[in-house]
Amino acid sequence: MNDFVYAHTDPAELEEYREQVRSWMSENMPRRNHDNPWHPTHDDDAQSSRNRELQRRLYDGGYAAVCYPREYGGQSLTIGHQRIIDEVSMDFDMPLLFSVPTLSITGPTVLEFGTEEQKQRYIPAWIRGDELWVQFMSEPSSGSDMAGALTRADRDGDVFILNGSKIWSTFAQRSDYALLLARTNWEVPKHRGLTMFIVPIHHPGIEIHPIQMVDRTEEFCQEFFNDAIIPAANVVGQVDDGWTVASRLLFHERAAVGGASPYTQGRHRNRSADGLEDLAAMARRNGGTDLGRMRQILGRMETLSRVDRLLSRRVVRGIESGYFPAPAGSLVRLSHGLTQAERQTAAAEFQRDRALVWNPGESTGAYGVDFVQRQQSCIGGGTTEMARNIISERVMGMPREPAADRDLPFNQVPRSG
């Protein structure tokens, strides 16, 4: 059996479901090519098209977004059923572009706060694989202060006029829609004057600029808005109450990044990011006189991995039962980020110079690139520093940090420039 708890579900029913999924996957989903060497992916259009095709296959088979309500295209099943799909699909090519953020971050936010018309229009489309979504939240000038957004949406009758910029948006160039947080009221404190919008990305007045990463891929983007017209019908939640919506989006983001979301689908055994089998094999091949020290590192990684899995299980059950408040998802986010960074550091160390210099066609260079990018897991989905603040203030009940702009109208907050 695996490490996840399948609460409120008959184990025999889950085992029968596992066999159904295994049989269907074998007949309908392409297997991953484990011998294919690592290399950066530049063809965003091909990757997007492939993911849409695979998502449609899952949908047609009844295995797409199974925790979503049946009336919107899901199956109304439990997190236990989704985890079975994740485990069985490890050796198959899966539409991971849809997993995060479409299905696990923006999707649950629309499910909770969208109008019935919005839910009927958008949720079935992304479950079918027709539309990819992204989140437009961070801004160049705000850092981790998301409530300090300067992107503005000025109302003009039945539309809003959007101006400003967002950044670090994952795969925006290949996505179709975004959830965007913009300022709609400058005369109230910053948290009270924000509104969440559904924004079509390839739309007049919106420019997408990809950002090249250290491995030459272009995963993130910056967006510029110049008098982009957004219908008032695209507001999610209430006007000026966007922080309520954004807070839940951030909860779903931390759960997705930390592995505690019921809405993620599919996960691959990445080079150094999942499982310890690869690390152990590296130690046996390359250990030599350092084998004893490598065993110590493996022992630590095994301990951290077990704690990470058990913590995820505990937090998921605690939030579902009401024992933990929703911000407890930051516990999983923090643990997963730190553990991931340590795995990638260990993998690069075990590979020795093969992670620094490699020949064309060899996959060992991936471990070096992972090492250079290891802090991604401590930044994406909210930094580990922010996670610690949330845990201390909202889970442990410690005093909040002082803030000079608290309760001050946003148009009176001093700003550089």
Side-chain angles (χ1 to χ4, degrees):
M1 258 324 257
N2 52 68
D3 293 305
F4 291 95
V5 170
Y6 301 128
H8 315 301
T9 308
D10 179 15
E13 174 190 333
L14 287 169
E15 286 306 310
E16 181 180 352
Y17 187 74
R18 183 185 299 277
E19 291 306 313
Q20 293 174 1
V21 174
R22 183 178 290 116
S23 175
W24 185 88
M25 288 270 181
S26 297
E27 295 178 3
N28 295 277
M29 297 298 285
R31 290 190 176 272
R32 296 180 64 210
N33 182 4
H34 295 281
D35 296 326
N36 185 36
W38 169 87
H39 59 88
T41 300
H42 299 284
D43 193 344
D44 291 334
D45 291 337
Q47 192 174 164
S48 175
S49 298
R50 177 63 167 168
N51 274 261
R52 293 171 194 267
E53 174 197 340
L54 294 174
Q55 183 68 23
R56 182 66 194 216
R57 289 195 196 188
L58 287 178
Y59 173 79
D60 290 341
Y63 297 107
V66 297
C67 290
Y68 273 85
R70 190 179 297 275
E71 60 265 33
Y72 301 125
Q75 299 294 321
S76 297
L77 297 177
T78 69
I79 187 173
H81 293 84
Q82 183 59 65
R83 291 298 182 254
I84 285 175
I85 293 174
D86 296 343
E87 293 156 11
V88 173
S89 67
M90 289 284 250
D91 292 326
F92 294 91
D93 198 5
M94 290 287 286
L96 298 185
L97 283 184
F98 278 88
S99 184
V100 180
T102 303
L103 292 171
S104 58
I105 302 177
T106 59
T109 306
V110 173
L111 185 62
E112 290 184 38
F113 292 96
T115 64
E116 185 61 27
E117 290 78 11
Q118 289 170 345
K119 288 186 280 190
Q120 292 285 354
R121 159 62 183 87
Y122 296 111
I123 297 178
W126 67 59
I127 293 180
R128 288 193 306 264
D130 295 343
E131 296 170 352
L132 275 165
W133 282 52
V134 69
Q135 59 210 69
F136 288 167
M137 305 292 284
S138 299
E139 296 194 2
S141 61
S142 299
S144 295
D145 183 18
M146 192 170 297
L150 298 178
T151 296
R152 63 188 302 146
D154 299 310
R155 186 148 199 171
D156 183 9
D158 292 335
V159 302
F160 285 84
I161 311 301
L162 190 63
N163 286 279
S165 180
K166 296 289 183 176
I167 198 169
W168 305 125
S169 309
T170 307
F171 302 132
Q173 76 275 38
R174 65 181 66 148
S175 299
D176 303 289
Y177 286 89
L179 283 183
L180 178 144
L181 189 66
R183 187 158 304 281
T184 47
N185 190 338
W186 296 75
E187 299 178 355
V188 295
K190 61 183 181 181
H191 291 86
R192 303 178 202 164
L194 298 166
T195 302
M196 189 72 78
F197 295 89
I198 295 172
V199 174
I201 294 176
H202 305 287
H203 183 70
I206 300 179
E207 295 181 12
I208 309 296
H209 291 205
I211 300 171
Q212 190 171 89
M213 307 297 288
V214 68
D215 62 354
R216 293 179 289 128
T217 60
E218 295 179 340
E219 178 180 350
F220 296 106
C221 298
Q222 181 172 3
E223 299 78 38
F224 297 91
F225 312 101
N226 184 20
D227 290 336
I229 299 175
I230 307 300
N234 286 27
V235 170
V236 179
Q238 300 299 317
V239 173
D240 292 346
D241 191 35
W243 188 248
T244 299
V245 183
S247 296
R248 286 299 290 175
L249 181 146
L250 293 173
F251 162 75
H252 290 300
E253 181 178 50
R254 293 173 189 122
V257 173
S261 171
Y263 300 109
T264 55
Q265 61 174 28
R267 54 193 176 98
H268 286 170
R269 295 190 187 279
N270 295 327
R271 299 169 293 270
S272 56
D274 194 58
L276 301 177
E277 298 88 347
D278 287 348
L279 284 177
M282 290 179 214
R284 287 191 293 269
R285 285 196 308 268
N286 308 326
T289 58
D290 285 341
L291 184 57
R293 187 175 63 84
M294 288 185 177
R295 284 175 174 166
Q296 290 181 326
I297 295 174
L298 281 171
R300 173 172 171 77
M301 295 314 308
E302 174 67 23
T303 301
L304 289 175
S305 296
R306 286 177 179 265
V307 169
D308 195 42
R309 291 194 298 269
L310 291 172
L311 178 65
S312 176
R313 182 173 74 183
R314 174 94 182 270
V315 170
V316 168
R317 296 181 70 189
I319 292 176
E320 286 179 347
S321 67
Y323 181 80
F324 285 134
S330 291
L331 290 164
V332 181
R333 164 71 191 89
L334 178 62
S335 172
H336 185 76
L338 295 174
T339 301
Q340 181 94 330
E342 284 212 35
R343 282 199 194 108
Q344 292 169 330
T345 299
E349 185 173 347
F350 285 13
Q351 283 287 358
R352 300 180 183 274
D353 58 355
R354 298 173 184 84
L356 302 178
V357 180
W358 63 94
N359 295 316
E362 292 180 346
S363 62
T364 53
Y367 298 99
V369 173
D370 279 350
F371 175 75
V372 173
Q373 295 181 316
R374 67 194 182 283
Q375 289 303 319
Q376 275 190 340
S377 63
C378 295
I379 297 173
T383 65
T384 52
E385 290 80 9
M386 292 298 295
R388 289 188 173 102
N389 276 354
I390 292 169
I391 293 166
S392 64
E393 296 174 1
R394 305 183 196 176
V395 180
M396 301 174 66
M398 297 175 69
R400 294 192 64 178
E401 288 187 298
D405 58 0
R406 187 170 297 152
D407 299 325
L408 189 67
F410 194 68
N411 57 7
Q412 297 179 23
V413 175
R415 291 190 298 273
S416 62

